[in-house]
Amino acid sequence: MSNELHVWELITQASLVVQAVMALLLAASVASWMVIFRKRALLTSAEKAADKFEERFWSGTDLTSLYNQVTHNQEEERGMVRLFTAGFSEFTRLREQGRVSAERLVEGAERAMRIALTRETDFLEHRLSFLATVGSTSPYIGLFGTVWGIMTSFHQLA
């Protein structure tokens, strides 16, 4: 007679509530790992793109030609490129209006760059609230399943 415990037998012999809790935790875990791996890939590509653009920006090239290069490039405009294009396009728009003080030119460019920065930050932080929610609620869901299983065991022993 074998007294070995097999995981699959434990799962199949658990009550429906405990099975539902385990399924919920498994689904949350799989979804969390998917988000984590996608975030990792996104942040890695964003960092590489930022380094590449920063190298081009500080190379001493003319900002107008850099602006023309990045706006005519077919790649998706993200990260530092978007900050630069937002600030530079607002700067040129205000400068073309004429009779705008240098202070207002800089303020307009800073405002456009702050808006672009907020959008890029929101893009990079997308789904982090899901990870925070799963990370904070999963222990309590698991504890509920454990307590339910213990209560069921005691009830069956009695």
Side-chain angles (χ1 to χ4, degrees):
M1 190 160 148
S2 176
N3 286 336
E4 294 180 32
L5 289 177
H6 296 287
V7 175
W8 189 248
E9 288 178 18
L10 292 174
I11 293 171
T12 57
Q13 292 176 4
S15 69
L16 190 60
V17 173
V18 175
Q19 288 177 346
V21 167
M22 287 189 285
L24 178 66
L25 289 174
L26 179 65
S29 177
V30 169
S32 295
W33 282 108
M34 287 175 54
V35 169
I36 288 168
F37 287 129
R38 286 182 181 170
K39 278 292 159 209
R40 172 74 178 196
L42 176 68
L43 292 175
T44 300
S45 68
E47 186 177 12
K48 287 179 184 176
D51 290 342
K52 182 180 172 185
F53 177 76
E54 192 172 354
E55 184 178 314
R56 288 172 55 192
F57 181 81
W58 293 109
S59 68
T61 186
D62 179 44
L63 293 182
T64 304
S65 65
L66 179 62
Y67 176 76
N68 290 332
Q69 288 174 5
V70 296
T71 55
H72 291 94
N73 195 354
Q74 298 300 326
E75 296 176 19
E76 185 180 359
E77 185 181 292
R78 294 240 58 96
M80 290 181 72
V81 174
R82 181 165 287 177
L83 294 177
F84 170 73
T85 57
F88 195 82
S89 62
E90 182 66 14
F91 178 82
T92 55
R93 186 185 69 79
L94 289 174
R95 188 177 62 186
E96 289 173 357
Q97 286 181 356
R99 292 190 289 176
V100 177
S101 68
E103 184 178 303
R104 290 202 53 210
L105 282 172
V106 172
E107 285 176 1
E110 284 178 347
R111 182 180 60 250
M113 290 174 76
R114 265 192 313 259
I115 292 169
L117 177 64
T118 301
R119 289 180 180 157
E120 289 303 305
T121 303
D122 288 344
F123 175 74
L124 291 175
E125 291 178 349
H126 184 65
R127 300 245 190 258
L128 289 183
S129 60
F130 170 76
L131 287 178
T133 302
V134 168
S136 64
T137 59
S138 292
Y140 298 110
I141 294 171
L143 181 63
F144 169 73
T146 302
V147 170
W148 188 273
I150 291 171
M151 286 175 25
T152 304
S153 297
F154 284 154
H155 185 324
Q156 289 176 353
L157 286 174

